[in-house]
Amino acid sequence: MVAGELRLLSLDGGAVRGLSSLMILRRLMTAFDPDTPPRPCDYFDMIGGTSTGALIVIMLCRLRIAVNECIDAYTSLPDNTFE
């Protein structure tokens, strides 16, 4: 990384789109390091999100969980959460 560059991640919301964002993010983290993918909070300088994307950001950044754990937590949310 060149000095002064920021690594930014933005996650959109919208129920099932949140899950697709997480699946894409999992592939991205695996591309960075296939053996031990980094947690997004350890790789990106700033992460933001809207709607359910903000819920995902809280899990990834504030709770500092890995993407796979976030997918498990996200899919266990009750359906009425997104109604």
Side-chain angles (χ1 to χ4, degrees):
M1 185 166 104
V2 177
E5 288 186 356
L6 290 176
R7 291 177 285 199
L8 308 175
L9 175 64
S10 176
L11 300 171
D12 192 13
V16 75
R17 285 188 302 247
L19 183 57
S20 64
S21 293
L22 283 168
M23 293 178 159
I24 292 167
L25 184 59
R26 178 173 52 192
R27 300 267 323 248
L28 183 63
M29 295 290 99
T30 303
F32 293 141
D33 186 347
D35 297 325
T36 53
R39 291 179 300 176
C41 62
D42 294 332
Y43 186 82
F44 291 98
D45 298 306
M46 297 176 80
I47 304 175
T50 59
S51 188
T52 56
L55 295 174
I56 292 169
V57 170
I58 290 169
M59 288 188 277
L60 294 174
C61 296
R62 184 68 180 156
L63 302 177
R64 301 180 58 81
I65 64 175
V67 177
N68 283 337
E69 293 174 81
C70 191
I71 289 172
D72 292 341
Y74 190 81
T75 56
S76 70
L77 292 172
D79 290 335
N80 63 359
T81 302
F82 302 116
E83 290 181 356

